[in-house]
Amino acid sequence: MEQSARQFRKRSAILDCLRSTKSHPSAEMVHDMLHDEHPDISLATVYRNLSLFKTQGMIRSLGTVNGVERFDADTHPHVHFICTGCARVMDLPEVEVPQELNQDVEKSSGCRVEGCQLTFTGLCGRCQAQ
Amino acid sequence: MEQSARQFRKRSAILDCLRSTKSHPSAEMVHDMLHDEHPDISLATVYRNLSLFKTQGMIRSLGTVNGVERFDADTHPHVHFICTGCARVMDLPEVEVPQELNQDVEKSSGCRVEGCQLTFTGLCGRCQAQ
DNA sequence: TTCGTTGCAAACATTTTGCAGTTTC
DNA sequence: GAAACTGCAAAATGTTTGCAACGAA
């Protein structure tokens, strides 16, 4: 619908932005990326919608890098690499998430597992070169 | 030396506190825990020393839980469980960290791996009961 | 008119920093 | 005296919220 498309214009733009990037952006990075198409979008709107998407399970938080929260529209379990030099966050699609561990955890701890995050840190290729 | 012991009285207390707990505390939690023995310790000192320990590699940051950073004096690789209900952070000593993945990551991505973190989230036994 | 979305500014929470005072060497 | 550590208060940072305005149903 055109009307509803208009009503959710900015909300959709935020989700689209997140879905079309591999940079695992922060709220501010999303805000910057949207600036050309939506010069009047406010940072509060970005925060509000990211928060909404998160509670709806449409996006995931990867935790904070240097004090700022980073998001990922890819909610499938996958592994990340965070560069301590440039704060880039990258997917590591080649590395398997050991899914069978979930049951081990539930058995040995009595906790109900709802999510799992495997993250490597270090220096990316670019930063090693320097 | 007694002198140096006195000079680093509070610094040592902070590290001891972190080493003697399994609660993976935040700065404020450390501050609270130290209150009985050191009623005059300031939160800024806790922050400053935690930050120092972190750069020295004596402690690890586990990232933020509900917006506050949590620390661990156990720097050996091990797995954590974070309860989304009560924000408790627990060790999962029974679960193996797949150490051999480090080389896979370096080979496939060209990144130099310096750390690895495997964290499960969900509801702990206590919170499930409710 | 009612509801949902937004921008703006203010509020908020956590963390960091400047500075002066103290202790140690 | 120089250097290191601390408390306090202020500042800085990232995030959330109240409110009025607007648009859609």
Side-chain angles (χ1 to χ4, degrees):
Chain A
M1 295 93 186
E2 237 172 64
Q3 296 104 333
S4 120
R6 174 177 282 200
Q7 181 168 13
F8 300 115
R9 205 164 71 255
K10 293 180 179 171
R11 174 166 301 172
S12 306
I14 293 168
L15 190 55
D16 288 350
C17 171
L18 210 51
R19 284 185 169 156
S20 63
T21 182
K22 293 181 175 175
S23 63
H24 309 84
S26 66
E28 193 163 19
M29 288 161 79
V30 170
H31 184 250
D32 289 349
M33 288 191 275
L34 289 173
H35 182 263
D36 286 348
E37 259 189 292
H38 299 270
D40 61 335
I41 204 169
S42 111
L43 193 51
T45 296
V46 177
Y47 274 110
R48 260 189 293 239
N49 282 298
L50 289 176
S51 173
L52 176 71
F53 297 149
K54 199 165 61 169
T55 63
Q56 290 177 333
M58 306 182 72
I59 68 173
R60 288 193 53 184
S61 167
L62 304 183
T64 60
V65 178
N66 293 337
V68 310
E69 192 169 12
R70 304 285 285 262
F71 300 91
D72 193 346
D74 182 357
T75 58
H76 297 92
H78 61 285
V79 184
H80 292 109
F81 184 90
I82 300 178
C83 178
T84 54
C86 62
R88 267 202 300 164
V89 179
M90 291 168 280
D91 291 326
L92 294 175
E94 309 85 357
V95 183
E96 278 287 302
V97 188
Q99 283 303 306
E100 70 283 359
L101 286 181
N102 281 23
Q103 281 128 41
D104 295 359
V105 172
E106 298 203 329
K107 257 184 215 161
S108 65
S109 69
C111 299
R112 186 190 306 149
V113 173
E114 282 162 6
C116 164
Q117 189 143 353
L118 177 56
T119 306
F120 292 86
T121 53
L123 283 184
C124 71
R126 250 191 253 163
C127 288
Q128 285 174 61
Q130 298 168 8
Chain B
M1 285 97 186
E2 236 172 62
Q3 297 103 333
S4 122
R6 172 177 283 200
Q7 180 168 15
F8 300 116
R9 207 163 71 255
K10 294 181 180 172
R11 173 167 300 173
S12 307
I14 293 168
L15 191 54
D16 289 349
C17 171
L18 210 52
R19 284 184 170 156
S20 63
T21 182
K22 292 181 174 174
S23 63
H24 309 83
S26 65
E28 194 163 19
M29 290 161 77
V30 170
H31 183 250
D32 290 348
M33 289 190 273
L34 289 173
H35 182 263
D36 286 348
E37 259 189 292
H38 300 270
D40 62 334
I41 204 169
S42 112
L43 193 50
T45 296
V46 177
Y47 273 109
R48 261 189 293 240
N49 281 298
L50 288 177
S51 171
L52 176 71
F53 296 150
K54 201 166 58 168
T55 63
Q56 290 177 335
M58 308 182 71
I59 68 174
R60 288 194 53 183
S61 167
L62 304 183
T64 60
V65 179
N66 293 337
V68 310
E69 191 168 13
R70 303 286 285 262
F71 301 91
D72 193 346
D74 182 357
T75 57
H76 297 93
H78 61 285
V79 183
H80 292 109
F81 184 90
I82 301 178
C83 178
T84 53
C86 62
R88 268 201 300 164
V89 179
M90 290 169 281
D91 290 327
L92 294 175
E94 309 85 359
V95 184
E96 278 286 302
V97 188
Q99 283 303 305
E100 70 282 0
L101 286 182
N102 281 24
Q103 281 129 41
D104 295 358
V105 172
E106 298 203 329
K107 258 185 215 162
S108 64
S109 69
C111 299
R112 186 191 304 150
V113 173
E114 282 162 5
C116 164
Q117 189 143 353
L118 177 56
T119 306
F120 292 86
T121 53
L123 283 184
C124 70
R126 251 192 252 165
C127 287
Q128 284 174 62
Q130 297 169 8

